Amino acid sequence: AQKVTQAQTEISVVEKEDVTLDCVYETRDTTYYLFWYKQPPSGELVFLIRRNSFDEQNEISGRYSWNFQKSTSSFNFTITASQVVDSAVYFCALSGNRDDKIIFGKGTRLHILP
Amino acid sequence: DGGITQSPKYLFRKEGQNVTLSCEQNLNHDAMYWYRQDPGQGLRLIYYSQIVNDFQKGDIAEGYSVSREKKESFPLTVTSAQKNPTAFYLCASSIQGWRYEQYFGPGTRLTVT
């Protein structure tokens, strides 16, 4: 069975601090896909990144970076120099190779304090 | 602008009434999905459709129905059989299947009293 664990339910940091959101996954598939989504207060989920299991390169996009480590089954998300606009709920998600649905984690609510 | 539209943003209904939530996409995506989100909770899959005229039940399909007569449209009906229909409903689409990222609409907040 597939599983996604976001152990941090809620995090608060002061603006300009760096923050890392953890995501640990379980799957028996050798090919799988990992995702991060952002849900701002407006409610609409926004796609941030997709990674397949064969690509372990870390990704950087502006202030956002992702660290994918198969050895620890983790796909962590770091926001550098956080801003108030980063306040949102962030979801990590996993889908397998067999087109067998997507599993979302329960989300981490991030508060960036001015 | 390509995207997904859901209407209305807020919907109020009396208990015992069926209600249909609209979802339209102009992204030319094959797959479409409906999720339910309760306060402080993650997403739960209601129904999904990988292709026109075909759809599958998700994890919480009881009390809901869908149709997929056109590629662009995937309406969700919340029937009176749904015990706790008050929730935030999100529609999404992806180019093909679960391997690809999903793009979400703005959601419909349904309140049933």
Side-chain angles (χ1 to χ4, degrees):
Chain A
Q2 297 186 123
K3 188 177 178 182
V4 174
T5 302
Q6 294 182 255
Q8 304 150 308
T9 306
E10 203 157 344
I11 301 174
S12 294
V13 300
V14 176
E15 197 173 18
K16 296 184 185 173
E17 286 185 357
D18 299 348
V19 58
T20 295
L21 309 183
D22 297 333
C23 174
V24 174
Y25 62 91
E26 293 177 29
T27 181
R28 292 182 181 177
D29 290 341
T30 53
T31 301
Y32 52 89
Y33 304 85
L34 293 161
F35 308 84
W36 274 96
Y37 291 88
K38 173 183 180 180
Q39 186 177 36
S42 61
E44 178 176 343
L45 267 78
V46 177
F47 165 71
L48 296 178
I49 190 170
R50 170 183 181 262
R51 259 285 178 265
N52 74 54
S53 51
F54 296 108
D55 183 0
E56 280 195 80
Q57 276 193 336
N58 290 333
E59 174 102 4
I60 298 175
S61 176
R63 296 183 297 105
Y64 293 174
S65 62
W66 290 269
N67 184 0
F68 176 28
Q69 291 197 340
K70 288 176 76 170
S71 60
T72 55
S73 296
S74 65
F75 187 42
N76 295 339
F77 173 33
T78 297
I79 302 175
T80 303
S82 59
Q83 299 177 3
V84 172
V85 293
D86 297 326
S87 296
V89 180
Y90 291 86
F91 291 96
C92 180
L94 164 71
S95 68
N97 188 42
R98 292 164 293 166
D99 263 357
D100 192 27
K101 297 188 220 171
I102 188 169
I103 306 297
F104 283 87
K106 293 189 182 299
T108 296
R109 184 175 297 276
L110 177 63
H111 300 279
I112 307 298
L113 308 172
Chain B
D1 271 324
I4 300 179
T5 56
Q6 289 184 246
S7 60
K9 180 78 172 169
Y10 299 94
L11 192 52
F12 298 88
R13 280 292 182 270
K14 295 288 188 189
E15 201 172 318
Q17 293 179 334
N18 291 357
V19 59
T20 297
L21 310 185
S22 165
C23 178
E24 304 277 331
Q25 56 101 356
N26 61 3
L27 299 168
N28 200 32
H29 286 173
D30 283 333
M32 296 187 75
Y33 314 86
W34 274 106
Y35 294 92
R36 170 182 172 139
Q37 187 177 33
D38 293 287
Q41 301 296 311
L43 278 69
R44 292 188 289 169
L45 180 68
I46 305 173
Y47 267 99
Y48 63 100
S49 168
Q50 305 279 35
I51 198 166
V52 176
N53 291 322
D54 187 48
F55 49 83
Q56 309 295 329
K57 292 182 180 179
D59 301 317
I60 56 164
E62 186 175 346
Y64 299 97
S65 66
V66 293
S67 63
R68 186 88 188 275
E69 296 175 3
K70 297 187 300 182
K71 189 175 186 178
E72 305 80 26
S73 179
F74 191 41
L76 173 75
T77 297
V78 184
T79 75
S80 56
Q82 168 49 232
K83 300 291 181 211
N84 297 297
T86 295
F88 186 52
Y89 291 88
L90 285 156
C91 179
S93 71
S94 67
I95 190 164
Q96 272 182 354
W98 302 102
R99 307 176 193 183
Y100 298 94
E101 61 271 20
Q102 295 181 21
Y103 293 90
F104 285 79
T108 292
R109 198 167 296 278
L110 174 64
T111 302
V112 177
T113 57

